Amino acid sequence: MASEPVIGKLSVRVVRGHNLIVADPLTHTSDPYVVLCYGSQKVKTSVQKKNVNPLWNDVLVLPVTDLTKPVKLEVFDADTFTADDSMGVAEFIVTDIYDAAKLDLKHASDGTRIKTIYPVGTNYLGGESHVSWKNGKVVQDLILKLKNVGSGSVVLQLEWVHVPGVAL
């Protein structure tokens, strides 16, 4: 079976986590890391030891093949002797940043806001998300509220990366 053609790449900077749950009751902390899944692809950040407000700043890249597929995010607590514990899930779609990447923005001034996405019941946004033109690139800032847990959010910055020879 042929693989789907890549229409672009999504660079995801996993910036930080905020107010994550305590997954290790003995130490009253967590050792969190983030896993991103898109279709059959899976990438993950480094583990931040003993921190419920971790700063990752890890950049993960996902080739994009289908705009209808969401990117699924899950935060885990790294454990040595047992299976890693889930610390919450979220997801986001790539259509907003993709649509902005199709625009002719070469004359746009730096910092131009292209689109604002608002938190509504069907998305995981913890605040307004802005798609902007920064330093000659289309970027989107996201704060995702984690589900299936009592608290926690993850801050991401997305960047659309053009693939040479692929028309948007």
Side-chain angles (χ1 to χ4, degrees):
M1 183 175 168
S3 62
E4 297 177 86
V6 173
I7 57 175
K9 291 184 180 179
L10 187 67
S11 173
V12 181
R13 178 179 299 278
V14 181
V15 180
R16 67 182 179 276
H18 177 70
N19 199 26
L20 301 179
I21 63 166
V22 170
D24 295 328
L26 291 175
T27 61
H28 300 291
T29 189
S30 299
D31 302 319
Y33 66 93
V34 173
V35 174
L36 297 179
C37 294
Y38 176 75
S40 62
Q41 302 171 69
K42 186 183 281 192
V43 291
K44 68 180 189 174
T45 66
S46 58
V47 174
Q48 297 298 307
K49 295 281 188 189
K50 298 184 179 357
N51 200 336
V52 294
N53 294 295
L55 179 64
W56 286 287
N57 257 329
D58 290 357
V59 176
L60 308 173
V61 178
L62 295 165
V64 177
T65 56
D66 181 351
L67 295 173
T68 64
K69 287 182 188 172
V71 177
K72 297 179 184 291
L73 175 148
E74 188 163 6
V75 180
F76 288 95
D77 172 56
D79 287 324
T80 305
F81 301 110
T82 59
D84 292 355
D85 305 308
S86 178
M87 297 174 62
V89 299
E91 64 182 48
F92 60 92
I93 56 172
V94 298
T95 50
D96 295 310
I97 194 167
Y98 172 79
D99 289 345
K102 293 190 301 185
L103 301 173
D104 180 7
L105 298 167
K106 63 180 171 270
H107 299 296
S109 55
D110 192 51
T112 297
R113 190 174 292 169
I114 301 162
K115 183 175 185 177
T116 299
I117 303 96
Y118 298 95
V120 293
T122 57
N123 66 31
Y124 290 80
L125 293 177
E128 291 181 1
S129 173
H130 303 289
V131 181
S132 305
W133 180 250
K134 292 182 186 170
N135 301 319
K137 299 172 182 172
V138 175
V139 298
Q140 182 177 0
D141 296 310
L142 296 166
I143 300 171
L144 297 177
K145 288 193 301 190
L146 298 174
K147 303 289 184 187
N148 303 336
V149 288
S151 67
S153 61
V154 175
V155 177
L156 306 175
Q157 184 176 65
L158 312 181
E159 178 187 326
W160 185 264
V161 180
H162 289 283
V163 173
V166 175
L168 296 181

